[in-house]
Amino acid sequence: MKRIFIPLLCLLSMVSLLTACGGQAELQDGYYTAQAAEFNFGWKEYITILVKGGNIISVEYNAENASGFIKSWDNAYMQTMLHTNGTYPNEYTRYYASQLLEGQGEGGIDAISGASSSHKTFQMLEQAVLEQARKGDSSIVIVDTEH
């Protein structure tokens, strides 16, 4: 009886460990993009990630206007936002992107004061882009980010 019980107990322990570790599907290698469906105050936010070896190795989070100009490059916008909100796009976009890269989509993203609207949008885009990466679907996913 002991001969059967001990291997059975070991097998059950291994199955429970594998089940606990397999809660989230592995990310498929490739480039993935999630983009806001609509412009918000003249800007459409997006996230693009590069997955290699099942890990996120690059994250770009930014916004562009109708002509394709990148929000983080807009110095006039930066000055205005810095004086009114205490932060600016080149700061918070890099911060949110680095949080996603460091956490590999497993942890929460802390909000920066003055960029809470972008934080909410980032979270919605993050969920969508990670889902695309789990499925291995490299088409651009459009996300309704109105909140």
Side-chain angles (χ1 to χ4, degrees), residues 18-82:
L18 290 173
T19 304
C21 293
Q24 183 168 333
E26 185 174 318
L27 303 177
Q28 305 298 311
D29 289 358
Y31 284 95
Y32 303 96
T33 299
Q35 180 179 15
E38 302 293 329
F39 287 93
N40 186 17
F41 295 105
W43 301 100
K44 189 180 285 192
E45 294 179 80
Y46 65 88
I47 295 176
T48 298
I49 63 171
L50 171 58
V51 177
K52 191 169 187 177
N55 293 310
I56 301 169
I57 63 167
S58 175
V59 178
E60 180 185 1
Y61 169 55
N62 223 310
E64 61 184 8
N65 64 17
S67 66
F69 189 71
I70 301 299
K71 189 176 190 178
S72 293
W73 302 345
D74 189 333
N75 286 326
Y77 189 91
M78 178 189 77
Q79 290 299 321
T80 301
M81 188 170 178
L82 179 60

